[in-house]
Amino acid sequence: MKFKKGDRVEGIWRSELIQGVVAHISEITNELNIKPDFTSQGTILFNQNQVSKVELVKVPKFVADAIDTFKDEGDGLAVAIDYEVYTEALIKELSLDIKMRAWLWETSNQELFARAWIDGYEVEQEPLYYVQFPIFRLNTLGTAVEGDYKYLWADPATGESGIFQSLEYPATLIKSGWKTKFTEEQIKNMDKRYWAFAVPVEE
């Protein structure tokens, strides 16, 4: 297994399971210096085949934001896991999502939150959506009404956005590097009214 500095790993040291962070890698000797958690011990030397990576839990982005905010404020886990705090946070004007209250109400999420706090986490891939606006027009013979869609697009380089002026899926926009798939937050930041026209992207 290939390791890099900063990876969270675990291994057995003096008959105890030790978790920590890779502080140094020696390619010549195939050894790792691990800085263990919850101890004043310096680094511990392991052979690379004596440790394994700690599998990080996956959490929604708003949970990751909450963890980062609490740690930046200098708060501990006991404060962060108290779902009542999220109402108080609005008064303090901290950037915490009120969805955390409902999320933490689930007992299994409390354990997940604690694991993410202690071991670190990966952010879940947020669902992506197209914003498609229905349009109607007469067919070329003028005998019937046809329905189709136009799509919202955005240019990440400039922040410019607009509606693609074509009745077909905007493949040309993707080739240009412009976005047609957005998260809920991105859509609402452009215009909250757009959310009513969002449809999930089916991979």
Side-chain angles (χ1 to χ4, degrees), residues 1-202:
M1 182 177 291
K2 194 73 174 175
F3 297 97
K4 63 180 184 298
K5 190 174 180 179
D7 280 348
R8 288 198 56 77
V9 297
E10 61 185 10
I12 303 298
W13 184 70
R14 294 183 178 175
S15 302
E16 290 186 18
L17 179 65
I18 298 293
Q19 288 191 348
V21 177
V22 176
H24 178 73
I25 302 171
S26 175
E27 298 293 348
I28 297 173
T29 61
N30 204 34
E31 293 175 323
L32 303 172
N33 285 92
I34 309 300
K35 174 63 179 170
D37 299 332
F38 309 119
T39 177
S40 58
Q41 168 81 32
T43 59
I44 301 173
L45 190 65
F46 284 93
N47 286 324
Q48 290 195 32
N49 61 6
Q50 293 178 312
V51 298
S52 58
K53 287 186 180 179
V54 174
E55 292 297 324
L56 300 180
V57 296
K58 292 187 177 183
V59 296
K61 184 177 183 302
F62 65 88
V63 176
D65 290 343
I67 290 173
D68 292 344
T69 299
F70 278 118
K71 289 191 173 184
D72 289 346
E73 290 287 315
D75 293 317
L77 176 59
V79 172
I81 210 163
D82 180 1
Y83 68 90
E84 291 292 343
V85 170
Y86 293 89
T87 300
E88 297 170 9
L90 299 179
I91 299 171
K92 293 181 180 178
E93 298 182 359
L94 299 180
S95 57
L96 297 176
D97 197 310
I98 197 64
K99 287 188 290 188
M100 280 295 299
R101 280 173 56 86
W103 190 84
L104 277 175
W105 187 255
E106 297 291 331
T107 304
S108 60
N109 286 341
Q110 295 169 16
E111 180 179 334
L112 185 64
F113 187 89
R115 290 180 61 198
W117 182 281
I118 294 167
D119 294 334
Y121 57 81
E122 293 179 356
V123 178
E124 289 177 351
Q125 173 65 49
E126 293 185 74
L128 296 175
Y129 303 88
Y130 296 118
V131 178
Q132 59 180 27
F133 302 99
I135 60 171
F136 301 92
R137 68 172 188 174
L138 288 175
N139 63 13
T140 53
L141 299 176
T143 58
V145 174
E146 296 177 334
D148 214 320
Y149 299 96
K150 293 186 180 181
Y151 292 85
L152 180 70
W153 61 267
D155 184 348
T158 65
E160 180 185 7
S161 64
I163 298 171
F164 190 67
Q165 301 299 311
S166 171
L167 298 181
E168 297 179 355
Y169 176 71
T172 53
L173 286 177
I174 295 174
K175 291 178 182 177
S176 303
W178 295 352
K179 291 180 60 173
T180 55
K181 302 175 185 178
F182 307 95
T183 64
E184 178 179 349
E185 182 180 7
Q186 289 169 336
I187 292 169
K188 290 180 176 178
N189 283 344
M190 285 186 274
D191 191 319
K192 290 182 180 179
R193 295 171 295 180
Y194 289 165
W195 181 241
F197 300 97
V199 294
V201 174
E202 296 182 5

